[in-house]
Amino acid sequence: MTDALPPIPSRGLPLSARAPGKCIVFGEHAVVHGAPELVFAIDLHTQVFVRAGDGFRLNADPEAVSRNGYFRSAIEQSWVGGPPVDVRAVSRIPRAAGLGSSAAFTAAVASAFAAAQGGIDRPALAQRAFEIERGAQGVGSPGDTSTVVGGGYLAINGGDGEPLWTVRAGDRRWEVRRVPDPGWVWVVAHSGVPRSTGDAVRAVGRRLEQPDGPDLLAEFARVAREGIEAVARSDRDRAAELVRRNQELLREVGVSHPRLEALLEAGAPAAQAGKLTGAGAGGSVVVLPIPGREAELVRRLARAGGLPFVVRADLSGVSLVE
Ligand code: PMV
């Protein structure tokens, strides 16, 4: 694949856009404090259909602008003064599960709006999708939105080579680089336990203010840096060791959950390694299967009460639907 994906072209309404979800392999939470993160776009998608309407509606809800913060933020930040639109959204990404449903919705809507306003290139779209998501969530880093815009595996604040783009918020900046796709199949499983990204981010922030915080953050950063290198050279065994270590650190900062630990334990006989993915405190796990034992892993996770999906990297990122 090429580093530079095509821009989102100009297109009149009505139109459809689709965006992948995402899965964080290394560095969630620590990335909010400047450490590296590795994220990949997963082949579960959200698709939106946008057409002119007689009011702003999302899935037929005329109150969606006041009820849905992402929809409101998208309209306020990327459809300023635009005519009313009727948006339909369908998704295979479980909600509030740490698998990027909000980033996918945000990027798909932002792409559709941008297409209707003359098109947009990927760096500008990554910045815009981040601002929309941050407008709705109040906290967070641009890893999720950049990944669903860029597709494939991306390193935030890490990796080698020229950045694909830099995302900014005030005086903070995050550099986003492509990491070669190792071609691995992963299994993600939603625990069904809902959680709030904002609450988890704030709780970890308080934990990292303790005296051992700087050492913990340095260890998160080392694991993510070495993890990015391992994935880039397709070193599965080393990546698995680092996935396990990352989970120990996430436990240490208090964002694991008994349901997540139960899923990881149930999957372990068919897994090289697993960890929570995303904000934690509920949400999902990501597991690297023992090659050839993906189906067994799915069964184990389902029997333990998870909602499992076999996922690969989506290499296209958000796009208009022809
Ligand atoms: O909202 P989630 O579960 O995809 O988690 C996002 C990852 C965090 O590092 C916890 C927050 C962030 O914005 O980077």
Side-chain angles (χ1 to χ4, degrees):
M1 75 179 293
T2 59
D3 272 4
L5 290 172
I8 301 297
S10 174
R11 178 91 52 92
L13 297 181
L15 64 91
S16 269
R18 80 200 277 264
K22 67 90 216 282
C23 175
I24 302 174
V25 180
F26 297 111
E28 53 271 269
H29 286 293
V31 69
V32 176
H33 305 277
E37 178 183 58
L38 178 69
V39 198
F40 71 103
I42 58 177
D43 54 353
L44 300 174
H45 294 90
T46 293
Q47 185 163 334
V48 300
F49 175 67
V50 183
R51 63 178 176 191
D54 52 12
F56 285 96
R57 288 201 181 82
L58 174 60
N59 288 343
D61 179 1
E63 305 296 329
V65 174
S66 53
R67 276 205 264 259
N68 184 313
Y70 295 95
F71 189 50
R72 179 170 58 250
S73 184
I75 288 169
E76 285 174 357
Q77 301 196 45
S78 66
W79 194 242
V80 186
V85 281
D86 187 355
V87 178
R88 306 267 159 164
V90 282
S91 184
R92 281 198 67 214
I93 309 166
R95 278 204 198 181
L99 296 175
S101 64
S102 59
F105 173 76
T106 299
V109 171
S111 300
F113 286 177
Q117 292 167 326
I120 192 169
D121 65 19
R122 303 258 165 185
L125 181 58
Q127 177 71 34
R128 185 175 293 177
F130 171 57
E131 287 168 5
I132 293 171
E133 197 181 58
R134 201 170 162 105
Q137 268 175 208
V139 289
S141 75
D144 292 17
T145 40
S146 275
T147 303
V148 309
V149 168
Y153 284 75
L154 295 183
I156 318 299
N157 297 333
D160 297 326
E162 276 298 297
L164 279 181
W165 52 70
T166 301
V167 181
R168 295 181 170 79
D171 56 2
R172 295 205 59 183
R173 20 182 310 138
W174 293 265
E175 295 199 323
V176 180
R177 292 183 172 80
R178 185 161 304 289
V179 174
D181 171 24
W184 298 340
V185 169
W186 300 81
V187 176
V188 294
H190 180 30
S191 66
V193 178
R195 86 289 177 270
S196 147
T197 299
D199 290 350
V201 167
R202 282 182 281 270
V204 171
R206 287 191 295 273
R207 175 66 184 83
L208 292 177
E209 280 164 14
Q210 302 293 308
D212 63 346
D215 288 348
L216 274 170
L217 189 56
E219 179 65 354
F220 268 110
R222 178 193 70 82
V223 167
R225 207 169 41 244
E226 293 185 14
I228 290 166
E229 290 164 7
V231 169
R233 58 173 196 272
S234 297
D235 184 342
R236 205 173 161 109
D237 292 342
R238 181 68 182 140
E241 267 173 47
L242 293 160
V243 164
R244 278 192 294 275
R245 178 70 186 130
N246 202 155
Q247 175 63 12
E248 288 169 6
L249 293 168
L250 289 162
R251 240 179 244 140
E252 178 68 34
V253 297
V255 287
S256 195
H257 184 281
R259 295 286 314 129
L260 299 175
E261 295 294 333
L263 288 176
L264 293 174
E265 204 182 311
Q272 282 194 262
K275 61 181 273 295
L276 70 84
T277 183
S284 301
V285 294
V286 57
V287 184
L288 188 60
I290 295 173
R293 293 177 64 182
E294 294 79 8
E296 176 192 343
L297 178 57
V298 164
R299 273 196 305 278
R300 289 177 168 279
L301 293 167
R303 274 198 216 116
L307 177 63
F309 298 90
V310 175
V311 294
R312 292 175 177 75
D314 165 301
L315 301 181
S316 315
V318 66
S319 58
L320 299 188
V321 177
E322 291 311 320

